[in-house]
Amino acid sequence: MIKEFSNVHIFEYNGVFLAIDVGTLSIFELNENMKDYLLGNKVDNQEKEMMEEELTDLLKKGYFQDSGKPQSVEGILNCYNISLQNTLECPLNCSYCFSKKIKSDPRIMTKQTAHDTLQFIFNTFDEKADSFEIYFTSGGEPLSNFPIIKQVYEEGIELSIKYKKRFKTGFTTNSVLMDDEKLEYLEDAQIGMMMSVDGTEEDHNKNRIFYNGEGSYKNVIEVLEKLKNSDNVCLNNTQALTVLTPDKGSYIEVLKYLVDIGFRKVNMKLARNTEKENPLMTKDMLDDIKKKYRDLVEFLTDEILQNRWKYVIPVMDQNNMLGQIVINMALRKKVLYRCDAGKSKFSILPNGDIYPCDFMSTLPETKMGNVYSGIDSNKREKWKQLTCLELEECKYCWARYVCAGTCYYSRYMNGNKPDLIECEMMKFLMERVAEMIYRIRCDNVGKLRHLIKLVKNIKVNSHDE
């Protein structure tokens, strides 16, 4: 590839050549001569002069070069997202659960620790921060220590008024401990809720099981039916968190099923490898996974072109692997950080220990501090430096400003090298999303404008691990 145009990725789609401009995230259609010229192949001299003139004009406009400012760390420090692990106890024995490896004494958060944690959050973090969001996401089942959820909600409101900060809280639940007493409290509160559900009863019960081997699907459906009749917008808009394991069938059918039974958002994520010796995802599974994702992207594209948004809107979320890529590419939003871990996002264990994220809390050596002793400023500064431009394998990659480097946890577990499966999937999905945008733009630019308007209003919520 010609040096001046190295910041472009070219691939073929349905007989045409598409280019993703790394610096602007713009998508171009190229003819074969232009494709050959950019790749450094031999072209006719007359054609070459015409193309050079056109490309010179595009270079002046900022295309095909690493231009524009990606996000800065300052831009993410106005909102802090805290995952509060109020317990490590759980009645389920899910096949892909990583929380069993977390060490904390005690394993259940006390009211005093919860109080002290809130004081630490509101008194210690950046004065410029205007928002604190606290979610009960990982560890054990949050509802097994429901009094702490209530305490954090009530004390958090008081502190937000005192310090003039915005405050939100919510939890992710497997639903098996939900009862009428808890629902009655939640009905009168403003607490967000996400339910762990993996699709149909058959799919769900393959992995989300009790210790006796029984599935937990019926518990999810019983709770969901009650939420449908709620007057509380937080409960009525409960989201689904879905882990896509290799044995999952059609991703289209998973999405349609969950939307049809009542979920407004469906956050679908590939299972993450947490065991080197027994990985959930292996390279020989990628062809099947790619086909399922290709089918899903084509389905969503068809729905948009038919002006049907029922199944499109639930996917458009920063916590959805595919949705995040659509949002960033549609808005041409360049990002430097894979996530906000260790910068404005932290995970706090029942004993008050602080980690960069929930997955990292399984690794004692990555501890950043404690709510009583504070956060090690040197460790936090190192996390601020972990942009994709500081990662050797990522800084020249064409996908860098959308992928922003593979998951920090996956990288750590892989000897500080990118997780190759995750890396390949991100590039694959970026190409498919580029095809989606190109196809919609060619067919009906008005639909593309509507999609852009839709994703502009997406707000990221962090109870997603």
Side-chain angles (χ1 to χ4, degrees), residues 152-170:
V152 167
Y153 172 66
E154 293 165 9
E155 288 189 23
I157 290 176
E158 293 177 3
L159 289 169
S160 68
I161 295 171
K162 178 181 178 180
Y163 291 101
K164 298 180 180 179
K165 308 285 186 182
R166 286 178 294 174
F167 169 72
K168 288 175 63 177
T169 189

Side-chain angles (χ1 to χ4, degrees), residues 142-251:
L143 293 182
S144 67
N145 195 5
F146 191 64
I148 297 300
I149 295 178
K150 294 167 61 176
Q151 178 186 348
V152 167
Y153 172 66
E154 293 165 9
E155 288 189 23
I157 290 176
E158 293 177 3
L159 289 169
S160 68
I161 295 171
K162 178 181 178 180
Y163 291 101
K164 298 180 180 179
K165 308 285 186 182
R166 286 178 294 174
F167 169 72
K168 288 175 63 177
T169 189
F171 62 95
T172 301
T173 177
N174 56 39
S175 307
V176 301
L177 297 178
M178 184 65 79
D179 54 37
D180 290 340
E181 182 180 351
K182 295 183 182 74
L183 283 172
E184 184 177 352
Y185 179 86
L186 293 169
E187 187 68 42
D188 295 325
Q190 294 296 310
I191 301 176
M193 183 171 165
M194 185 181 289
M195 295 171 65
S196 301
V197 53
D198 287 351
T200 65
E201 181 171 7
E202 180 182 2
D203 280 340
H204 183 91
N205 287 342
K206 287 177 183 176
N207 297 294
R208 297 190 183 273
I209 57 176
F210 289 92
Y211 279 86
N212 63 6
E214 292 182 4
S216 59
Y217 178 82
K218 64 182 177 64
N219 301 85
V220 174
I221 296 304
E222 288 173 1
V223 173
L224 182 61
E225 287 302 315
K226 293 179 180 179
L227 297 179
K228 288 180 182 178
N229 300 319
S230 173
D231 293 324
N232 186 316
V233 66
C234 291
L235 300 183
N236 205 250
N237 287 295
T238 293
Q239 303 180 32
L241 174 62
T242 302
V243 178
L244 300 176
T245 49
D247 57 1
K248 195 79 69 186
S250 165
Y251 295 169

